[in-house]
Amino acid sequence: RALLVLACCAAGVQALPHIVAEEPTPIVLWHGMGDTCCLPFSMGAIKKLLEQQIDGVYVRSLMIGKNEKSDQENGFFMPILEQLDYACDIVQQDPRLSDGFHAIGFSQGGLFLRLLVQTCDVKVKSLVSIGGPQQGVYGLPQCTEPAALCKEMDKLLELGAYLPLVQHRLVQAQYWHDPVHHKRYLDGNIALPLLNNELEDKNVSYAQRLQALEHLVLVKFENDTVVIPRE
């Protein structure tokens, strides 16, 4: 999906003015499921495109893990709350992000960056979620790469997304949102109902931090084939 976004961006580059600023606001990227921070034909290319178009901009593409392999695996198997803590540590400890940054997330990364805004004490100026499943998913029919990880995900989801074993093992189960059995979702999902403030005890700071954004852009793919429902 990052490749699709890159193609769209590249096609429009000729029409975009070259941005020159003395101190451009840094940008933080978070990749989607199955991707990594730095693949040269996906997130690496998007990072490069931003750097080419905005003179002197600092772009940090989040790597959740010690290397790209663990980053990819953690997109499936590191619990959401742990990923948010990990990402929060990265941005809090990066001195170049201390005065604030723009955040751009792709697919799963779009959801996670919105959750990061809610839970991490950092200054995010603008949030752009491209194809982010903000209300969760009820199907992932087009996960094909990496094949081994997608097969493991499918196997676990077939057991039952809300089984405790699956909830504590699989990231995608933690934003699995059954629209038919709402109580089962609220009772069985250990992450998304909490982070989306759908439980009885509300965290008012979540809304306050989102309201503090200068800009919030949520992009929906009209012909999304990766997640169901695309809304």
Side-chain angles (χ1 to χ4, degrees):
R1 302 175 90 193
L3 283 174
L4 173 63
V5 173
L6 175 62
C8 295
C9 291
V13 160
Q14 297 296 329
L16 291 174
H18 190 74
I19 301 171
V20 180
E22 291 185 4
E23 294 184 9
T25 299
I27 299 171
V28 170
L29 306 175
W30 199 332
H31 63 80
M33 177 184 72
D35 204 351
T36 78
C37 64
C38 311
L39 285 175
F41 52 82
S42 64
M43 297 305 294
I46 291 172
K47 179 177 183 290
K48 184 178 179 181
L49 180 65
L50 290 168
E51 292 168 340
Q52 289 173 341
Q53 293 301 305
I54 308 172
D55 280 347
V57 72
Y58 173 63
V59 182
R60 180 73 183 258
S61 187
L62 295 177
M63 180 168 67
I64 309 300
K66 61 184 179 180
N67 53 44
E68 288 188 53
K69 182 176 185 295
S70 62
D71 184 25
Q72 186 178 62
E73 292 172 349
N74 287 336
F76 288 88
F77 303 122
M78 179 186 282
I80 292 175
L81 292 174
E82 290 184 25
Q83 291 198 53
L84 295 177
D85 285 343
Y86 195 101
C88 186
D89 285 342
I90 291 175
V91 295
Q92 285 183 333
Q93 294 174 19
D94 189 332
R96 300 185 71 176
L97 302 176
S98 60
D99 291 330
F101 56 90
H102 300 309
I104 307 174
F106 300 85
S107 190
Q108 179 174 280
L111 168 61
F112 289 1
L113 274 177
R114 193 259 295 175
L115 300 178
L116 186 73
V117 170
Q118 295 177 196
T119 59
C120 183
D121 187 17
V122 290
K123 184 179 180 181
V124 182
K125 296 184 177 182
S126 301
L127 169 62
V128 179
S129 167
I130 301 176
Q134 303 298 333
Q135 283 291 333
V137 300
Y138 193 49
L140 293 159
Q142 296 298 322
C143 180
T144 56
E145 293 293 337
L149 297 179
C150 287
K151 287 180 180 178
E152 179 68 14
M153 179 191 71
D154 289 340
K155 182 171 68 175
L156 288 169
L157 288 175
E158 285 175 5
L159 290 175
Y162 298 139
L163 290 176
L165 170 68
V166 178
Q167 278 290 307
H168 288 89
R169 170 65 175 162
L170 183 66
V171 169
Q172 289 70 33
Q174 293 183 3
Y175 59 86
W176 191 265
H177 190 162
D178 186 335
V180 179
H181 304 98
H182 189 62
K183 189 176 186 303
R184 184 185 301 172
Y185 157 70
L186 293 178
D187 293 342
N189 191 308
I190 64 174
L192 194 64
L194 172 68
L195 294 165
N196 274 2
N197 252 349
E198 296 177 89
L199 302 179
E200 186 174 345
D201 293 329
K202 310 295 183 184
N203 189 326
V204 296
S205 68
Y206 290 172
Q208 291 169 345
R209 287 175 171 170
L210 287 174
Q211 289 167 351
L213 290 168
E214 296 174 12
H215 302 283
L216 172 62
V217 180
L218 306 176
V219 179
K220 180 181 78 172
F221 291 135
E222 291 288 351
N223 298 303
D224 200 331
T225 60
V226 178
V227 302
I228 296 175
R230 63 176 179 270
E231 291 80 11

